[in-house]
């Protein structure tokens, strides 16, 4: 390729890594900054029990085409497995299986008449393709109308509250529709259990392979070094990082959460900044327990019971068997909270103690002696809250600033954020850069003048 841009990628999560991989493969000079000492962002894993495990529970759906294609392209497809999963619903002090349509009909927390309504509405949502009309109505309004107040309160309303807390009533039906719609494609038939995907050895297998591929194409990756500020100077963007180093680039691809993009680019026009700053995220606090025994036989336990104050309990070793973890069991106890929630400020030990009090509700035999080790992880930008007419408030990937692109989880819509969509973000932003280069909207100033070398 004759025209070579120097491109700064901010953030080494799946979106930043995919963009850096694709852009470096196109022959551009790519430099990536990741604030953490490790790449992978929300999908990263840490070494444990002879393999590695994600900080936050991760699986793939069969509809996750972009990430599966990338995994195959990178030659690591043999790590990907698809296994049946067992889903449950915790309500009124007990676990109800919820893996198939038949389970919905057996969900004894509401009368049969309500269950039939829930089944019909689920079937309907799985077959509606036009989500635009769901932008205008909240999930609560729509669902109350079609399944009735009782079924809403006990099933979906309870789950919405467990994830979005006081903001549950603001969540758009478009978000909820997507959750139901996409899950169909992870099932071969309505009556069969869903199959979910996992990268054996953890998502680090993909993250490491991406990093290697970037370096093989001449890209540079800085870990443990954040981007502090970015200024315009002589037609270039000058990135100042946390070591004090300045690096001029032609193009910036920012994959960090929206409020941080607004902070990095104070020169953005007010209308665009307002969109960035209007994004509200739920935070996630996840307790990972290594235990001697299984808590239940369910992989994914949704919680719809105010007496068990969590969003979900994800028993990873009911998906990938304990034999892969030297016989130990791994259980995530997950809670999504608003940014000001006191749970976010608890010390790790306090998070553990709270769970030790609560988990006997799921299995009365559970005791503190089961716990061999534990870790607590927090992510502030875990889940953008999708409110009414969300499409109108999404900032465009091409910002009003020349050569500055944004690709982050708040721009994923109507799908909900997930690793496959971060791969898509990386793919899309690469196409936009290439398009703008071909159209003459981007000019390679750095490499043309050899003004500076970042290495
Ligand atoms: C609890 C939980 C469970 C999930 N489960 C699943 C799942 O089962 N399946 C699935 O597909 N997805 C799941 N996801 C979502 C998925 O992990 C994310 O959507 C995806 O990884 C986001 O990737 P990203 O690159 O867009 O953003 P991020 O991973 O957030 O990456 C952004 C990166 O930018 C870095 N950064 C921030 N500031 C700076 C700075 N100033 N300079 C340099 N770097 C900076 C951050 O450290 C981070 O690494 C889950 C997420 C959470 C929180």
């Amino acid at each position: 390729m004759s025209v070579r841009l120097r491109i700064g990628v901010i953030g080494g999560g799946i979106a930043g890594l995919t963009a850096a991989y694709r852009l470096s493969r196109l022959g551009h000079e790519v430099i990536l900054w990741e604030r953490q000492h490790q790449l992978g962002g929300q999908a990263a894993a840490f070494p444990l029990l002879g393999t590695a495990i994600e900080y936050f529970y991760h699986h793939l759906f069969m509809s996750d085409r972009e990430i599966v294609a990338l995994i195959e392209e990178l030659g690591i497809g043999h790590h990907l497995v698809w296994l049946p999963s067992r889903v449950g619903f915790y309500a009124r002090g007990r676990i109800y299986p919820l893996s198939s349509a038949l389970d919905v009909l057996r969900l004894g927390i509401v009368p049969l008449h309500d269950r039939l309504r829930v089944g019909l509405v689920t079937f309907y949502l799985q077959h509606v393709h036009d989500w635009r009309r769901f932008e205008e109505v909240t999930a609560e309004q729509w669902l109350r109308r079609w399944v009735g107040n009782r079924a809403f309160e006990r099933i979906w309303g309870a789950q919405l509250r467990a994830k979005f807390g006081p903001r549950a009533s603001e969540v758009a039906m478009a978000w909820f529709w997507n959750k139901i719609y996409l899950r169909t494609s992870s099932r071969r038939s309505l009556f069969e259990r869903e199959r979910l995907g996992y990268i054996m050895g953890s998502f680090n297998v993909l993250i490491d392979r991406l990093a290697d591929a970037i370096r093989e194409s001449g890209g540079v990756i800085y870990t443990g070094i954040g981007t502090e500020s970015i200024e315009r100077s002589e037609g270039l963007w000058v990135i100042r990082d946390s070591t004090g180093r300045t690096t001029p680039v032609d193009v910036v691809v920012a994959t960090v959460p929206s409020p941080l993009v607004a902070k990095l680019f104070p020169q953005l026009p007010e209308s665009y900044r307002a969109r960035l700053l209007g994004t509200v995220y739920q935070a996630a606090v996840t307790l990972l327990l290594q235990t001697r025994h299984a808590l239940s036989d369910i992989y994914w336990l949704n919680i719809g019971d105010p007496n068990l104050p969590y969003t979900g309990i994800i028993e990873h070793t009911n998906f990938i068997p304990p034999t892969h973890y030297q016989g130990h069991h791994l259980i995530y106890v997950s809670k999504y909270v608003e940014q000001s929630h006191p749970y976010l400020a608890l010390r790790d030990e306090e998070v553990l103690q709270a769970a030790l009090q609560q988990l006997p509700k799921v299995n009365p035999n559970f005791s503190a002696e089961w716990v061999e080790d534990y870790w607590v992880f927090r992510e502030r930008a875990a889940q953008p809250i999708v409110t009414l007419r969300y499409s109108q408030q999404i900032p465009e990937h091409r910002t009003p600033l020349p050569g500055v692109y944004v690709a982050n989880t708040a721009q994923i819509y109507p799908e909900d954020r997930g690793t496959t969509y971060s791969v898509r973000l990386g793919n899309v932003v690469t196409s936009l850069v290439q398009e703008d280069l071909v159209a003459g909207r981007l000019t390679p100033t750095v490499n043309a003048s050899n003004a500076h070398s970042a290495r």
Side-chain angles (χ1 to χ4, degrees):
M1 195 199 67
S2 51
V3 190
R4 188 164 190 249
L5 297 165
R6 182 187 284 170
I7 302 174
V9 176
I10 318 296
I14 299 292
L17 286 169
T18 305
Y21 163 64
R22 300 239 174 265
L23 289 163
S24 59
R25 287 292 287 266
L26 286 167
H28 297 298
E29 182 187 354
V30 174
I31 306 157
L32 180 146
W33 282 263
E34 168 50 55
R35 187 171 59 180
Q36 301 293 334
H37 288 278
Q38 186 183 352
L39 293 168
Q42 295 176 35
F46 66 101
L48 187 70
L49 301 168
T51 172
I53 184 80
E54 289 72 21
Y55 297 97
F56 302 104
Y57 44 93
H58 269 74
H59 62 244
L60 296 177
F61 293 113
M62 281 184 160
S63 50
D64 289 348
R65 280 179 281 279
E66 287 91 345
I67 196 166
V68 171
L70 179 65
I71 288 167
E72 295 295 343
E73 176 183 330
L74 290 167
I76 50 171
H78 54 284
H79 284 266
L80 192 57
V81 293
W82 294 97
L83 302 170
S85 80
R86 220 175 253 281
V87 179
F89 185 55
Y90 184 90
R92 301 190 151 199
R94 57 162 282 206
I95 296 175
Y96 294 84
L98 204 54
S99 296
S100 73
L102 280 180
D103 290 337
V104 174
L105 296 179
R106 294 189 199 112
L107 192 60
I109 52 169
V110 286
L112 182 62
H113 163 74
D114 284 7
R115 285 176 245 161
L116 288 171
R117 281 176 88 174
V118 168
L120 280 174
V121 166
T122 306
F123 183 80
Y124 171 74
L125 291 174
Q126 284 168 336
H127 294 86
V128 176
H129 306 298
D130 174 22
W131 53 271
R132 289 272 168 192
R133 67 184 126 138
F134 294 140
E135 284 219 293
E136 306 291 329
V137 59
T138 66
E140 174 165 353
Q141 287 162 339
W142 195 92
L143 292 169
R144 276 189 192 281
R145 175 161 182 213
W146 293 105
V147 297
N149 287 331
R150 182 177 42 210
F152 173 77
E153 286 294 337
R154 294 190 192 165
I155 305 173
W156 285 325
Q159 287 181 62
L160 280 166
R161 273 192 297 280
K163 184 143 197 182
F164 294 103
R167 304 207 63 161
S169 58
E170 294 169 44
V171 174
M173 185 59 198
W175 183 85
F176 190 87
W177 161 80
N178 173 262
K179 286 276 159 203
I180 303 279
Y181 180 76
L182 270 193
R183 300 299 283 267
T184 331
S185 39
S186 272
R187 278 200 187 100
R188 289 190 197 145
S189 99
L190 264 183
F191 298 95
E192 203 180 278
R193 271 200 281 158
E194 190 173 33
R195 294 179 93 82
L196 299 176
Y198 188 67
I199 307 174
M200 295 305 290
S202 86
F203 275 63
N204 276 1
V205 172
L206 170 63
I207 291 159
D208 292 347
R209 184 67 203 103
L210 275 169
D212 287 347
I214 294 165
R215 292 190 183 105
E216 282 158 19
S217 301
V220 173
I221 297 175
Y222 296 126
T223 50
I225 301 177
T227 303
E228 301 269 290
S229 66
I230 304 174
E231 275 169 24
R232 191 74 172 155
S233 168
E234 297 172 20
L236 293 164
W237 292 106
V238 180
I239 298 179
R240 179 179 295 277
D241 67 32
S242 52
T243 67
R245 173 181 35 213
T246 55
T247 308
V249 296
D250 300 303
V251 167
V252 179
V253 174
T255 69
V256 297
S258 289
L260 199 53
V261 179
K263 195 169 154 227
L264 286 173
F265 293 98
Q267 59 280 72
L268 275 165
E270 208 38 58
S271 56
Y272 193 90
R273 282 176 63 76
R275 288 179 177 214
L276 292 172
L277 295 170
T279 310
V280 180
Y281 296 87
Q282 280 291 85
V285 180
T286 298
L287 165 70
L288 173 58
L289 298 173
Q290 179 188 313
T291 62
R292 283 179 230 285
H293 310 288
L295 184 67
S296 75
D297 62 352
I298 302 284
Y299 164 56
W300 189 280
L301 186 63
N302 286 308
I303 302 201
D305 187 331
N307 293 322
L308 187 60
Y310 296 108
T311 310
I313 295 175
I314 294 91
E315 197 157 345
H316 179 79
T317 36
N318 286 341
F319 176 38
I320 307 300
T323 43
H324 293 275
Y325 304 94
Q326 299 172 356
H328 302 272
H329 297 260
L330 295 169
I331 306 164
Y332 294 93
V333 182
S334 169
K335 186 171 173 71
Y336 280 79
V337 289
E338 60 275 18
Q339 303 291 331
S340 58
H341 198 289
Y343 190 70
L344 203 49
L346 290 187
R347 286 180 291 113
D348 293 3
E349 168 69 15
E350 293 171 315
V351 172
L352 173 70
Q353 287 308 326
L356 295 180
Q357 302 295 315
Q358 298 291 344
L359 292 180
K361 292 177 186 167
V362 180
N363 179 344
N365 295 326
F366 175 86
S367 80
E369 280 79 63
W370 283 23
V371 178
E372 297 169 328
D373 211 341
Y374 77 98
W375 302 264
V376 179
F377 307 112
R378 298 169 188 82
E379 169 59 51
R380 279 197 176 265
Q383 169 76 61
I385 304 183
V386 173
T387 48
L388 293 184
R389 291 172 283 281
Y390 189 77
S391 61
Q392 293 167 28
Q393 78 185 53
I394 299 175
E396 302 212 337
H397 295 306
R398 277 189 185 104
T399 74
L401 300 176
V404 177
Y405 301 80
V406 173
N408 70 26
T409 57
Q411 295 166 309
I412 297 164
Y413 185 70
E415 298 88 354
D416 192 22
R417 69 11 168 191
T419 50
T420 198
Y421 305 110
S422 292
V423 169
R424 186 194 286 173
L425 288 173
N427 293 344
V428 166
V429 85
T430 301
S431 305
L432 294 179
V433 170
Q434 221 35 32
E435 227 175 78
D436 289 350
L437 181 61
V438 171
R441 289 189 287 268
L442 294 173
T443 331
T445 313
V446 182
N447 285 314
S449 61
N450 274 332
H452 172 97
S453 171
R455 273 168 261 186

